[in-house]
Amino acid sequence: MKKALFFSFLALLGSQPILAQKDTEALQKADSLFAADSIEAAYPFYQQVLRQQKVYSPRMLLRMAYVQEGLGHYPAALYYLSLAQARQPRRSTWAKMASLAQRHRLTGYPDSWRQQLRIVFRRYYYRLLQAALLVAVVGGTVLWLRRRERRGWWVAYAAYVLATAAFLNLLRPERSGLVARSRAALMAGPSPGATWLTTAAVGDRLVVLGKQDVWYRVRWQGKDAYIRQHDLLEVQ
């Protein structure tokens, strides 16, 4: 049964309760309908929570993705999976995204050991950031109180701060977006008159580098490209 397969994927997230949402009637109704196998009826209530409260948990998003995948709406399924991945990076979630993308011949979902390693680091990014900042504050305070310490200690402290900043910058979660329109044009510059590079399919994933007027600057095949704002749905 398809639902059983998807629940094995959900099980990888554990049996944590939904804590990110307020305990609303809509959420309770959605959960009860989903538990009763009325998954399509549950979806509008989940949508209501997401739209009105602007809060969500990975479990709720995965349920919404399951409903959309079952209906054959793979771009919507990928979007909800992307939101869940951004909130709680998991190798299992990414594997599901990569599988869907491969099935529909979409780009931007690498399934390599490097990507798996990035996911592990990003999962603990904020913990690493807190620990690094704590060490930097404590170390700086100790050196300031003992200002007579040798100059070498200050040099070592400065090297630590710079190395930590560079390391955490490399691990910083990247912005991404999903192409929302079929045959969306990727241009070499932020202008309709710029050189046309290629067209993207609905569901293609692009790394967002910045924004200029009504254009997103994205990474495409290792170089910069531009796509109109209304053609890309940014994952936030």
Side-chain angles (χ1 to χ4, degrees), residues 125-198:
Y125 174 81
Y126 291 106
R127 294 183 187 178
L128 290 172
L129 178 61
Q130 291 174 348
L133 291 176
L134 180 62
V135 171
V137 170
V138 172
T141 303
V142 170
L143 287 176
W144 176 256
L145 293 175
R146 304 177 64 179
R147 292 187 290 274
R148 295 183 180 180
E149 290 288 351
R150 296 179 181 178
R151 185 180 178 183
W153 285 106
W154 285 100
V155 173
Y157 175 74
Y160 166 79
V161 171
L162 291 175
T164 300
F167 180 68
L168 292 176
N169 186 63
L170 290 174
L171 295 179
R172 183 177 56 187
E174 61 187 14
R175 295 169 59 192
S176 65
L178 303 186
V179 176
R181 294 175 184 266
S182 60
R183 300 189 62 80
L186 289 179
M187 313 296 288
S191 168
T195 303
W196 174 86
L197 298 175
T198 188

Side-chain angles (χ1 to χ4, degrees), residues 50 56 61 78-87 235-236:
L50 185 63
Y56 44 80
L61 293 167
L78 281 169
Y79 177 68
Y80 292 129
L81 287 169
S82 298
L83 286 177
Q85 180 71 357
R87 186 174 181 86
V235 176
Q236 297 179 336

Side-chain angles (χ1 to χ4, degrees), residues 98-146:
S99 174
L100 263 178
Q102 185 177 17
R103 194 183 314 161
H104 296 282
R105 299 181 180 181
L106 302 176
T107 62
Y109 302 86
D111 191 17
S112 62
W113 67 268
R114 291 186 180 87
Q115 178 65 22
Q116 299 299 327
L117 192 60
R118 289 192 196 99
I119 292 171
V120 173
F121 275 118
R122 285 168 186 161
R123 183 178 177 185
Y124 300 103
Y125 174 81
Y126 291 106
R127 294 183 187 178
L128 290 172
L129 178 61
Q130 291 174 348
L133 291 176
L134 180 62
V135 171
V137 170
V138 172
T141 303
V142 170
L143 287 176
W144 176 256
L145 293 175
R146 304 177 64 179

